[in-house]
């Protein structure tokens, strides 16, 4: 019928005005167009949930990307993300780790924030139940990450959604690991 395919869009917030193309700080653009941008951020954050993306304040040298759940594999097609590596923050649940596994499967160097046993325990009062946990092998997770996934199951498929962590604590953890 001659109709074009819907492009894969990625939502990006440029937290540093120096990185903002044409002054745009918040945009959703096709992967192909983002891949053509000549950018050199010092740090690229990838967050599972849009609310956390929108909450990030201005930050020198930084961009934050909405991972869009399991669609994170498209980020490997954007050189300034793929080549820089990312700081990933997802929900502390099996799907958050499933998304992390998928991101690493693309060959992207990934460090995580607030996805450890200490965080899980510190926010025990905010746990919920994950009704349909992710299944399958997560071969790209580190041993300590696999231990968290196992503990989530042992505790009855609990989950800690990222936006339930108070923002002051989250922001302090996100800014400290900048690489």
């Amino acid at each position: 019928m001659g109709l074009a395919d819907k492009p894969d869009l990625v939502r990006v917030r440029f937290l540093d005005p120096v990185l903002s193309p044409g002054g745009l700080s918040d945009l959703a653009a096709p992967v192909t167009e983002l891949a053509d941008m000549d950018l050199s951020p010092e740090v690229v954050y990838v967050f599972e949930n849009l609310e956390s993306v929108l909450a990030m304040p201005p930050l020198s040298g930084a961009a934050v990307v909405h991972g869009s759940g399991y669609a994170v594999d498209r980020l490997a097609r954007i050189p300034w993300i793929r080549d820089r590596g990312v700081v990933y923050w997802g929900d502390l649940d099996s799907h958050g780790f499933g998304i992390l596994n998928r991101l690493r499967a693309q060959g992207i160097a990934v460090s995580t924030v607030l996805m450890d046993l200490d965080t899980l325990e510190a926010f025990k009062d905010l746990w919920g139940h994950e009704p349909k946990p992710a299944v399958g092998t997560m071969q790209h997770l580190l041993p300590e990450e696999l231990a968290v996934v196992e503990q989530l199951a042992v505790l009855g498929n609990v989950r800690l959604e990222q936006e339930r962590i108070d923002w002051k604590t989250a922001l302090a953890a996100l800014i400290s690991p900048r690489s």
Side-chain angles (χ1 to χ4, degrees), residues 17-37:
V18 172
L19 298 171
S20 299
L24 295 172
S25 62
D26 187 348
L27 59 94
V31 170
T32 54
E33 292 178 18
L34 289 170
D36 287 340
M37 296 176 72

Side-chain angles (χ1 to χ4, degrees), residues 54-122:
L54 298 174
M56 283 297 283
L59 193 57
S60 177
V64 61
V65 177
H66 181 218
S68 300
Y70 285 99
V72 293
D73 54 348
R74 65 181 65 162
L75 301 182
R77 299 181 350 229
I78 304 171
W80 56 269
I81 294 176
R82 180 191 63 234
D83 299 343
R84 158 58 47 200
V86 301
V87 175
Y88 174 73
W89 181 32
D91 291 338
L92 238 167
D93 63 13
S94 66
H95 289 284
F97 284 99
I99 294 165
L100 170 61
N101 185 69
R102 189 168 189 157
L103 187 57
R104 283 214 185 106
Q106 304 309 308
I108 298 174
V110 182
S111 61
T112 61
V113 176
L114 298 168
M115 295 186 71
D116 54 42
L117 289 172
D118 289 341
T119 301
L120 183 65
E121 187 59 35

Side-chain angles (χ1 to χ4, degrees), residues 8-24:
D8 290 333
L9 298 178
V10 173
R11 175 92 179 252
V12 181
R13 286 193 59 233
F14 297 99
L15 304 177
D16 184 339
V18 172
L19 298 171
S20 299
L24 295 172

Side-chain angles (χ1 to χ4, degrees), residues 3 5 21 36 40-41 50 52 69 71-72 78 84 97 100 122 128 140 165 174 178-179:
L3 301 175
D5 288 333
D36 287 340
S40 297
L50 183 58
S52 300
V72 293
I78 304 171
R84 158 58 47 200
F97 284 99
L100 170 61
H140 299 284
I165 296 173
L174 288 162
R178 292 187 59 175
S179 51

